[in-house]
Amino acid sequence: MSICLLDGVSITTVEGLGSTETKLHPIQERIAKVHGSQCGFCTPGFVMSMYALLRNNPQPTPEEIEIAFAGNLCRCTGYRPILEGCKTFCDKENCCSKVKLDEVNQEIDKDNISTELYDSSKFATYDPSQELIFPPELLILGKEPPSSFSICGSEVTWISPISLDELISAKQDYPNSKLVAGHLEIGINTKYHGVSNRVLISTANVKELNDIIETANGIYVGAAVSIARLKEELEVIIKRLPEHKTRIFSGFVEIFKRFGCCQVRNVASLAGNIVTARSTSDLCTVLVGANCQLTIKSLEGSERQIIIDDTFFTSDGKCGLSSQEILTAIVIPFSKENEYMYCYKQSHRHDNSFAIVNAGLRVALERSSVTTWVVKDCTLAYGGMGPKILRAKQTSSALIGREWKNDIIKDSMALINEDLPLEYSAAGGAIEYRKALAASFFFKFFMKVQSDICKEMPLDHSAVSNICYHPSKSIQIFKKVNPDQPSDDDLWRPIVHLAGLQQTTGEAQYCMDIPQYKNELHASIVQSKRAHAIIKFAGFFIVKICDRNSLNCFNRSINYDDAINLPGVHGYISAGDVPGSNRFGHLMPEEDLFSTEKVTSYGQMIGLIVAETKEIADAAVRLIKIEYEDLPAILTIEDAIKAESFFFKPCHLANGNIEEGFANSDHIIEDELYIGGQEHFYMENQAVIVVPKAEAMELEISATTQSLRESQFAVAKALGIPSNRIVCHIKRLGGGFGGKKNRISSISAGVAVAARKLRRPIRLLVDRHVDMTIKGGRAPYLAKYKVGFDNNGKLKAVQIKMFCNSGYSMDLSPVIMSFSVIRLFGSYAVENFDYTGIVCKTNTNSTTAFRGYGTPQAVLITEKIMTEVANRCGISQREIRESCLHPEEFIASFNQKLENCQIRNVWSEVIQRSDYENRKLQVEAFNKNNRFKKRGIAIVPCSHGVGYTGIKFLDQAGALIQVYTDGSLLLSHGGVELGQGLHTKLIQICTHILGIPKEKIHLIESNSAIIPNATQTANSSATDLYGAATKDACEKLNERLVPIRADMPNATWEELISAAYSNRVNLSVAGYFVDPTETLFSFETKTGLAIKYYTYGAAVSEVEIDTLTGDHQNLRTDIVMDVGSSLNPAIDIGQVEGAFVQGLGLYTLEQQYHTPDGIPLMTGPENYKIPTASDIPREFRVALLRNSTNSKAVFSSKGIGEPPMPLASSVFLALQDAVMACRQENNASSSFKFDSPATPESIRMACADNITEKIKKTDQKDGEKGWGIRC
């Protein structure tokens, strides 16, 4: 939103609500104390969304809260604790956020469990009367007549008229100006696409454009009326007028609910959507379907009214409004007695997502006899079926005069297919799916109208109803704390995240919150725009750096004259400026820091522009011209296999006699499974600040890194200086998930080169679209498998060949693939197997570490095979898995005996807690009674091995405790707080060992000058390593204090420390830990340990799908997780929920596509969709296994950040189960393609039926390329 729209508005920020130093607002307190803040970067947004809701409704319903959060994203928590904290403001009688304990099977150790992660009785009371008052001066100003104003900036002039005449006059003065309502589209285009608008004219205060008037024909809506206001007005009218008169209004209201989110609806307008003219616009489609009238005024004064139809829209983004015309109003007509209208939308995600296809379908009927109705008029409008909004004209014409009965369905669907042809290259892809949606929407519409006019007819309501989204509820079950444990010993208690309160108040500091340095400059990255190309030869050229001319020997065709000459630009940094090595890598130096002669992927870093401001630097980057000579590009895994383009040697693991196993099998299945990649999508983008010091080439680096050591080393290597001249530090990260481990090191090195050259502090904040193209995420996998088994489902032989798309460099892919190979059939006993992992080299972004580190792919491959075996044999999914689960002391595929195996314990408990068998029967009963809605249920186990396999040097950690004479303690360690609660757990360890309250302990930051050579924070090992190092430091401190305690047995902690200081006891204690369990497994010899220990889990998930659209909802998930002895149940349960929801995104939602030329298509939140609060299970039940021990980690705990993620495969398999039920009813084959993610497209097209069978496949013209490819 433009700040110019806020004239006369009172703005309240999260800092203005409350603070830890004064008084917390109840929202801030409750979100923190209900454990709703992990990394904290998204938390202020949730606080303010809730605050806006409470100011308008002090006692909201759970539904209203979830609607209010539709525009907020979180990647850490899984949303459950945020929702739960905010639902404490609901009326207790209507609040349903918690599953009651009596609804849960209590036979499992019921006297030893707790479900209370917080004490709500201690929350401050919320009193709406104590809220901030609206500023009196603004109230006074609001009572005065409004006045027009204009603001003239260096780049933009903003004009805010108050009357239509003033608006027309301003438009006449500035004919090339843009009219602004909510500033949404213009703001996005300005910020991310470099579109410049010199003059903007606001419609917000124009009186005539803000009217809503009820007329004889309908509702007159001024062009500037917001969607939110219009929705409220229509809801009032619907309640007041007869039902038959407001059917069109009801259609609008329903589509408004799915339009953007409440934040968007508050500022967006109908007129803004019309002139923006997106081909997928929900509102434009409905306006056309309803035959709405537009009032258009010319600048000369004439006025015309038109009925909006598809001819008004000329192409995507363009409409029939000339530059000399202004849209002033829209009239939404009343519906007539026998007129019906319904609206439909299918999007990639339920909330805040553009439509794949939408429809506004209207029919007017007249009775021809007592029992028959004939079509009098019809409009079938569709969005997403071409380059603009379209009407199915042939279909509409053919329907007029026909009787409204079942035999029109077949004819209409055939005509719709002809009316709405999509070219093979149509933007958005999914051609056949979109055609199926168009037909399915008509079918739904027909059935709904049929039910309206023939209410006595029996009807399958599953055809007409949409998936119903109910508010979520949950329960968390964990072991009670020993009542004899001292109250100031916080270990094993669900205490609040150490920085939770600061994160809810906005006090928590992140990298970009560091105040600007004097003389600071800003950098922006110059990226390659080709997937594989040579940068053409040009010759030598001169580049102006600051006030000096210097010769740059980078002799390639990069023209940045316009960029350098832009006022405020200080220089261009490239490979020629690197004083040390321009090569870097993680397993070996395999790629350039700055690309020179050739680029091997879109998005690679070619150089940096350095300027006075970020905006100038970004603008300069857009002015750079690079000439390329394109080379053939390998993009997909299939391309790489065909070209034999591989990294490293394959990773191989085998056992038994595979050929004999196949020979002895009654059944053999050969198939393949594709698993798409995943973007990290952490809330805080990558960022770095480099400050050069005045002497000895010293540098201070603040970087969003999970590995201080790697960033420090990369900078030292690029600059050719020792590491001891570089201090790298960070206080916390706004999420990481593996994405801030490697690539930020090279970015930091590039900025350090610039800072050293220009001798000024330089700051770089990587924008989201750059962040998503300069690095890869989780690697896509393709598994080709062959499995043999007998009639009882016993596995005789399993052969799997996995390929991953590593991108243009290895990065960590060989290590990740080795983890995948080890984790195949990780919970099951298989005698004869042959597993191979191959890393593919392509011309896409280099994929990297991601939460789960190869396990999510391995588990889904395994569980897909187990499901197919059960289906082929007619054996239950539970039985087939139980028969193969690891027994105690089983020898795993990597030749290691499994100790303290808990897989059967978590399995049996999740079956009992979830009431699996009864619910399975309920699912079957539901499916029998609902033809077009199907449910599925699935159960999966997971065994996630923890440990750095084959990387001995990472299994070490350091910590430092410094105690001051007032008794306060400063703890430092080499780990990084990513939101996973590492700092909190380490403080709990300190309180337990030292016997002091947590308030005595503080952590400032992670700093390479304090803890050198720190092991990265990754692989679910940070608490294992740094917790053990902290424990070592605490125990050493206690040992030093033994003589003092002996002399002063009753001394307080403060007295003890004071005495120790007086006796010259060293109160600075270094802790160090070396893991005695060396995981040095060799694939060649099958010797050595592959894992330290397993973290076990099991999940049951139930889903419901709409077989006509592919829409689905996660109804319920039950998880039982073995975390050993949980150091903090609240944090561990938060990790379980957050990992599960992130896995849900991987398996069901998050898609990545490239153009056929290798350009990434998913580069921001507008087209890459992560789960929102409405995507989590409607019932989310998590239990921690009690009485589990683990001798391999600190205080018998277990790593938990990654292990729960593969359990989300239960949702994928439940969706497959629901699809299978549909196919069985339609007599379709039980064998079908179902890759990951299970998107609406995958689900709908797998539900083979009469509609999909009749969809004509779009022909590919000669030379025509598809819109996108999966890599």
Side-chain angles (χ1 to χ4, degrees):
M1 174 181 280
S2 170
I3 196 170
C4 298
L5 282 169
L6 302 178
D7 179 57
V9 173
S10 174
I11 300 173
T12 303
T13 67
V14 71
E15 294 86 356
L17 291 189
S19 76
T20 58
E21 294 184 2
T22 54
K23 182 182 179 182
L24 294 168
H25 190 282
I27 299 172
Q28 296 168 323
E29 178 196 26
R30 295 185 193 188
I31 288 180
K33 291 185 177 179
V34 183
H35 314 286
S37 183
Q38 289 187 17
C39 85
F41 203 81
C42 69
T43 305
F46 280 96
V47 170
M48 296 312 298
S49 289
M50 188 62 194
Y51 180 69
L53 178 61
L54 282 187
R55 289 304 300 261
N56 291 283
N57 183 0
Q59 206 167 68
T61 65
E63 292 93 336
E64 289 169 334
I65 290 172
E66 297 205 9
I67 289 169
F69 288 156
N72 293 82
L73 295 176
C74 175
R75 198 58 154 166
C76 296
T77 65
Y79 298 100
R80 191 278 308 166
I82 301 173
L83 293 171
E84 190 171 317
C86 291
K87 287 175 184 177
T88 60
F89 291 96
C90 298
D91 184 333
K92 290 183 179 180
E93 292 183 3
N94 297 320
C95 185
C96 55
S97 67
K98 297 295 290 184
V99 174
K100 295 178 181 178
L101 192 57
D102 57 14
E103 299 178 48
V104 180
N105 192 324
Q106 299 181 49
E107 297 176 9
I108 308 170
D109 200 14
K110 64 180 180 180
D111 295 327
N112 195 31
I113 64 171
S114 175
T115 61
E116 302 299 326
L117 290 173
Y118 58 92
D119 184 355
S120 60
S121 67
K122 296 182 179 179
F123 292 160
T125 302
Y126 176 59
D127 182 355
S129 68
Q130 299 304 304
E131 291 284 18
L132 297 169
I133 63 169
F134 194 80
E137 57 270 27
L138 289 180
L139 286 173
I140 295 170
L141 186 64
K143 294 177 182 177
E144 297 178 0
S147 59
S148 57
F149 67 90
S150 62
I151 302 172
C152 297
S154 59
E155 300 291 330
V156 179
T157 294
W158 180 278
I159 300 173
S160 181
I162 61 170
S163 69
L164 188 55
D165 288 341
E166 286 187 8
L167 175 64
I168 291 173
S169 176
K171 185 67 175 170
Q172 288 171 336
D173 292 340
Y174 301 98
N176 295 323
S177 61
K178 285 277 189 180
L179 299 188
V180 177
H183 197 261
L184 299 174
E185 190 81 10
I186 291 174
I188 291 171
N189 288 335
T190 300
K191 183 172 182 178
Y192 296 112
H193 305 299
V195 177
S196 176
N197 294 289
R198 299 296 299 178
V199 179
L200 297 174
I201 303 175
S202 172
T203 63
N205 296 322
V206 177
K207 183 182 182 303
E208 298 93 325
L209 302 186
N210 281 280
D211 290 332
I212 297 179
I213 304 170
E214 188 174 329
T215 69
N217 298 320
I219 302 300
Y220 174 99
V221 182
V225 172
S226 72
I227 302 300
R229 181 183 163 211
L230 177 58
K231 176 176 173 288
E232 290 175 0
E233 293 283 350
L234 290 179
E235 287 172 337
V236 171
I237 294 170
I238 289 168
K239 291 178 181 178
R240 178 169 53 83
L241 296 180
E243 181 272 337
H244 75 268
K245 200 172 183 179
T246 61
R247 290 173 186 151
I248 289 176
F249 299 168
S250 295
F252 271 86
V253 168
E254 287 305 306
I255 210 70
F256 286 161
K257 293 176 182 177
R258 295 286 309 280
F259 178 81
C261 56
C262 61
Q263 293 92 337
V264 171
R265 293 191 290 269
N266 285 339
V267 293
S269 66
L270 275 182
N273 274 262
I274 292 169
V275 299
T276 300
R278 279 185 180 268
S279 62
T280 55
S281 168
D282 301 328
L283 304 188
C284 291
T285 304
V286 179
L287 287 162
V288 171
N291 285 345
C292 292
Q293 177 183 285
L294 305 184
T295 299
I296 299 170
K297 192 159 188 175
S298 73
L299 299 186
E300 286 74 31
S302 62
E303 188 174 88
R304 62 187 177 112
Q305 281 83 34
I306 63 168
I307 300 299
I308 185 172
D309 60 17
D310 58 337
T311 62
F312 180 77
F313 301 101
T314 56
S315 63
D316 194 13
K318 295 184 179 180
C319 66
L321 204 65
S322 77
S323 61
Q324 299 299 303
E325 291 181 314
I326 296 172
L327 174 60
T328 59
I330 303 98
V331 174
I332 306 173
F334 292 124
S335 52
K336 297 181 175 60
E337 182 73 37
N338 296 314
E339 186 177 22
Y340 301 88
M341 181 173 181
Y342 293 101
C343 304
Y344 301 91
K345 172 180 179 176
Q346 183 57 49
S347 52
H348 293 287
R349 183 179 65 195
H350 184 266
D351 282 339
N352 203 17
S353 181
F354 291 122
I356 301 170
V357 174
N358 52 35
L361 310 181
R362 183 191 60 84
V363 65
L365 304 175
E366 59 182 359
R367 192 185 291 274
S368 62
S369 70
V370 175
T371 58
T372 59
W373 294 82
V374 173
V375 177
K376 181 181 179 182
D377 187 30
C378 181
T379 306
L380 307 177
Y382 286 91
M385 292 303 296
K388 64 172 190 168
I389 306 298
L390 295 173
R391 285 188 302 164
K393 296 178 182 177
Q394 289 186 79
T395 312
S396 298
S397 297
L399 284 173
I400 293 175
R402 289 194 62 175
E403 189 177 335
W404 190 262
K405 61 180 183 178
N406 289 354
D407 63 0
I408 70 172
I409 296 176
K410 181 179 178 181
D411 297 340
S412 297
M413 288 187 179
L415 286 173
I416 285 173
N417 214 335
E418 294 179 15
D419 271 329
L420 306 171
L422 277 171
E423 294 187 356
Y424 182 83
S425 58
I431 307 302
E432 277 67 46
Y433 172 51
R434 287 153 71 183
K435 290 181 178 181
L437 279 176
S440 296
F441 286 163
F442 178 81
F443 177 74
K444 279 176 166 282
F445 176 64
F446 173 84
M447 297 296 286
K448 179 61 176 169
V449 173
Q450 190 78 336
S451 70
D452 290 341
I453 62 177
C454 305
K455 298 186 186 298
E456 70 281 358
M457 282 183 59
L459 176 71
D460 185 347
H461 289 280
S462 68
V464 300
S465 62
N466 295 318
I467 295 285
C468 186
Y469 283 78
H470 300 289
S472 60
K473 56 182 180 178
S474 66
I475 190 169
Q476 303 79 43
I477 302 171
F478 57 97
K479 183 179 179 180
K480 285 182 179 178
V481 177
N482 188 330
D484 296 328
Q485 182 171 315
S487 59
D488 59 358
D489 180 354
D490 286 314
L491 198 62
W492 304 301
R493 297 184 190 277
I495 70 168
V496 173
H497 190 289
L498 181 65
L501 292 173
Q502 287 87 346
Q503 288 166 186
T504 62
T505 61
E507 297 168 48
Q509 298 292 291
Y510 298 85
C511 185
M512 285 295 105
D513 291 321
I514 295 173
Q516 187 162 323
Y517 291 90
K518 181 181 179 181
N519 214 27
E520 182 181 282
L521 298 175
H522 294 259
S524 186
I525 299 173
V526 180
Q527 295 180 277
S528 62
K529 300 301 180 184
R530 296 289 192 279
H532 193 201
I534 293 171
I535 300 174
K536 287 185 177 180
F537 183 84
F540 292 97
F541 54 82
I542 302 297
V543 55
K544 184 178 179 182
I545 302 248
C546 299
D547 295 322
R548 305 185 306 278
N549 286 336
S550 61
L551 188 66
N552 190 316
C553 297
F554 177 46
N555 54 351
R556 295 281 153 180
S557 184
I558 304 178
N559 184 336
Y560 45 80
D561 290 346
D562 291 343
I564 290 296
N565 291 327
L566 192 69
V569 172
H570 283 252
Y572 174 81
I573 306 298
S574 66
D577 299 303
V578 179
S581 173
N582 192 47
R583 299 286 289 174
F584 82 101
H586 307 288
L587 299 179
M588 60 181 66
E590 55 172 337
E591 55 182 298
D592 289 337
L593 179 63
F594 295 108
S595 296
T596 52
E597 300 178 0
K598 185 167 73 171
V599 296
T600 52
S601 171
Y602 182 97
Q604 285 178 310
M605 188 162 66
I606 294 175
L608 293 173
I609 285 286
V610 182
E612 292 286 345
T613 67
K614 181 183 186 305
E615 291 73 21
I616 294 174
D618 290 343
V621 166
R622 290 192 287 268
L623 296 175
I624 292 175
K625 301 176 182 66
I626 303 175
E627 292 185 31
Y628 299 96
E629 181 182 325
D630 288 322
L631 299 171
I634 296 171
L635 300 174
T636 68
I637 294 175
E638 292 85 352
D639 291 342
I641 294 172
K642 186 176 180 180
E644 296 185 348
S645 178
F646 306 129
F647 282 117
F648 227 56
K649 60 182 180 181
C651 183
H652 185 250
L653 195 61
N655 188 70
N657 189 326
I658 195 81
E659 297 304 326
E660 183 179 305
F662 284 123
N664 294 331
S665 297
D666 297 319
H667 306 276
I668 293 177
I669 295 175
E670 287 190 70
D671 206 345
E672 62 181 43
L673 172 67
Y674 175 84
I675 305 171
Q678 186 178 28
E679 163 60 30
H680 298 91
F681 214 93
Y682 29 67
M683 293 295 102
E684 175 198 33
N685 293 351
Q686 296 186 92
V688 61
I689 304 170
V690 179
V691 182
K693 300 298 183 179
E695 60 177 285
M697 295 185 292
E698 294 174 358
L699 285 176
E700 179 186 339
I701 300 172
S702 301
T704 55
T705 178
Q706 293 176 234
S707 178
L708 297 171
R709 181 184 65 84
E710 290 186 31
S711 291
Q712 181 187 34
F713 177 77
V715 171
K717 186 176 180 183
L719 296 183
I721 62 176
S723 294
N724 63 1
R725 311 298 172 88
I726 301 163
V727 174
C728 190
H729 62 99
I730 193 68
K731 194 169 188 70
R732 62 174 58 83
L733 299 185
F737 317 113
K740 293 177 180 174
K741 181 183 170 299
N742 290 353
R743 189 56 53 186
I744 187 62
S745 300
S746 60
I747 294 173
S748 298
V751 176
V753 169
R756 175 53 59 195
K757 182 179 181 66
L758 301 179
R759 299 187 181 279
R760 293 176 66 171
I762 295 181
R763 181 184 300 251
L764 170 62
L765 172 62
V766 182
D767 283 332
R768 178 70 64 183
H769 69 282
V770 177
D771 195 298
M772 291 180 69
T773 54
I774 201 168
K775 65 156 187 64
R778 190 188 305 278
Y781 270 51
L782 178 65
K784 297 176 180 288
Y785 57 86
K786 180 179 179 182
V787 55
F789 49 97
D790 65 18
N791 290 323
N792 296 317
K794 181 175 174 59
L795 299 176
K796 294 293 186 178
V798 179
Q799 187 175 52
I800 302 174
K801 187 174 283 189
M802 292 184 295
F803 301 86
C804 77
N805 190 336
S806 179
Y808 67 84
S809 71
M810 286 189 297
D811 197 274
L812 294 168
S813 291
V815 180
I816 295 169
M817 179 56 80
S818 72
F819 277 44
S820 292
V821 169
I822 287 173
R823 287 161 171 77
L824 282 170
F825 283 81
S827 297
Y828 303 112
V830 182
E831 185 177 348
N832 304 308
F833 60 83
D834 188 313
Y835 307 147
T836 304
I838 299 171
V839 178
C840 298
K841 180 180 181 180
T842 66
N843 298 114
T844 60
N845 312 110
S846 182
T847 54
T848 189
F850 202 133
R851 191 180 205 164
Y853 219 69
T855 304
Q857 297 96 324
V859 169
L860 184 60
I861 294 164
T862 300
E863 296 302 329
K864 189 78 158 55
I865 291 172
M866 296 296 285
T867 300
E868 292 185 11
V869 170
N871 290 339
R872 179 70 65 90
C873 295
I875 299 173
S876 76
Q877 299 295 336
R878 173 184 174 182
E879 183 181 345
I880 193 72
R881 287 168 170 81
E882 281 184 353
S883 66
C884 298
L885 287 175
H886 286 161
E888 180 64 33
E889 298 191 344
F890 175 74
I891 304 299
S893 63
F894 39 88
N895 204 28
Q896 181 176 338
K897 181 191 290 187
L898 303 183
E899 301 173 352
N900 195 22
C901 182
Q902 299 285 354
I903 191 63
R904 290 183 177 269
N905 290 333
V906 295
W907 178 266
S908 60
E909 185 167 325
V910 82
I911 287 172
Q912 188 173 352
R913 288 201 178 282
S914 66
D915 196 19
Y916 174 76
E917 292 298 338
N918 283 331
R919 287 173 54 212
K920 190 169 181 292
L921 294 174
Q922 292 167 10
V923 166
E924 292 169 0
F926 178 91
N927 291 341
K928 286 180 182 178
N929 296 322
N930 294 272
R931 183 178 175 188
F932 300 104
K933 298 285 191 305
K934 297 297 178 186
R935 289 184 178 178
I937 191 168
I939 180 170
V940 299
C942 180
S943 305
H944 183 100
V946 176
Y948 288 105
T949 304
I951 314 175
K952 180 179 178 179
F953 66 85
L954 292 178
D955 280 325
Q956 60 178 314
L960 179 65
I961 285 178
Q962 299 175 90
V963 187
Y964 298 90
T965 54
D966 61 357
S968 62
L969 184 152
L970 179 63
L971 172 63
S972 301
H973 61 91
V976 178
E977 177 60 61
L978 317 172
Q980 81 281 43
L982 176 60
H983 288 352
T984 308
K985 287 185 174 181
L986 299 194
I987 282 184
Q988 288 178 274
I989 290 171
C990 289
T991 68
H992 178 70
I993 298 174
L994 299 177
I996 60 175
K998 61 181 179 295
E999 290 76 15
K1000 286 285 182 185
I1001 309 166
H1002 186 61
L1003 294 96
I1004 294 180
E1005 64 177 8
S1006 301
N1007 190 311
S1008 64
I1010 298 173
I1011 306 294
N1013 310 314
T1015 294
Q1016 62 200 20
T1017 301
N1019 201 37
S1020 304
S1021 295
T1023 300
D1024 289 4
L1025 296 173
Y1026 292 106
T1030 300
K1031 178 174 177 285
D1032 180 58
C1034 289
E1035 289 172 347
K1036 287 178 179 176
L1037 176 60
N1038 270 343
E1039 189 177 344
R1040 293 180 188 179
L1041 295 176
V1042 166
I1044 309 297
R1045 279 199 171 102
D1047 293 339
M1048 305 172 62
N1050 298 317
T1052 63
W1053 171 256
E1054 292 80 3
E1055 291 169 341
L1056 197 67
I1057 293 304
S1058 179
Y1061 174 74
S1062 298
N1063 283 275
R1064 296 184 295 183
V1065 174
N1066 184 0
L1067 296 176
S1068 178
V1069 189
Y1072 187 64
F1073 174 71
V1074 175
D1075 199 318
T1077 307
E1078 294 186 355
T1079 51
L1080 298 175
F1081 177 73
S1082 167
F1083 281 90
E1084 287 74 20
T1085 64
K1086 286 183 68 175
T1087 58
L1089 299 179
I1091 62 165
K1092 285 199 300 181
Y1093 60 84
Y1094 270 128
T1095 297
Y1096 297 96
V1100 173
S1101 289
E1102 182 182 349
V1103 302
E1104 182 178 320
I1105 67 171
D1106 185 330
T1107 66
L1108 293 170
T1109 64
D1111 198 13
H1112 81 271
Q1113 184 180 44
N1114 305 310
L1115 298 176
R1116 175 175 164 181
T1117 291
D1118 294 76
I1119 297 174
V1120 174
M1121 204 78 205
D1122 163 36
V1123 300
S1125 183
S1126 175
L1127 302 181
N1128 185 320
I1131 285 176
D1132 288 345
I1133 288 172
Q1135 289 295 293
V1136 172
E1137 293 167 336
F1140 180 87
V1141 173
Q1142 197 171 55
L1144 189 152
L1146 168 67
Y1147 295 129
T1148 71
L1149 187 62
E1150 299 175 41
Q1151 282 185 298
Q1152 292 182 318
Y1153 281 101
H1154 288 66
T1155 69
D1157 297 321
I1159 300 172
L1161 287 166
M1162 286 23 185
T1163 58
E1166 69 275 13
N1167 46 40
Y1168 187 84
K1169 301 301 179 181
I1170 69 170
T1172 65
S1174 68
D1175 295 303
I1176 71 172
R1178 297 299 86 191
E1179 281 194 42
F1180 206 172
R1181 305 183 179 201
V1182 177
L1184 302 184
L1185 188 71
R1186 266 94 44 235
N1187 305 319
S1188 174
T1189 60
N1190 178 29
S1191 62
K1192 303 294 179 65
V1194 61
F1195 290 114
S1196 204
S1197 62
K1198 287 189 174 184
I1200 191 58
E1202 296 168 293
M1205 191 170 187
L1207 293 177
S1209 62
S1210 61
V1211 177
F1212 177 92
L1213 295 170
L1215 290 169
Q1216 181 177 284
D1217 186 49
V1219 170
M1220 178 70 81
C1222 176
R1223 292 178 69 89
Q1224 287 174 347
E1225 188 167 307
N1226 294 332
N1227 296 316
S1229 169
S1230 61
S1231 177
F1232 59 97
K1233 191 73 173 171
F1234 201 63
D1235 289 332
S1236 176
T1239 61
E1241 177 186 3
S1242 300
I1243 295 167
R1244 175 64 186 100
M1245 299 312 287
C1247 291
D1249 58 18
N1250 293 333
I1251 294 176
T1252 58
E1253 287 175 3
K1254 292 179 174 60
I1255 298 300
K1256 294 179 181 178
K1257 189 171 179 63
T1258 301
D1259 294 327
Q1260 182 179 4
K1261 300 172 185 175
D1262 290 341
E1264 187 179 21
K1265 295 181 179 180
W1267 167 77
I1269 57 174
R1270 64 181 196 184
C1271 292

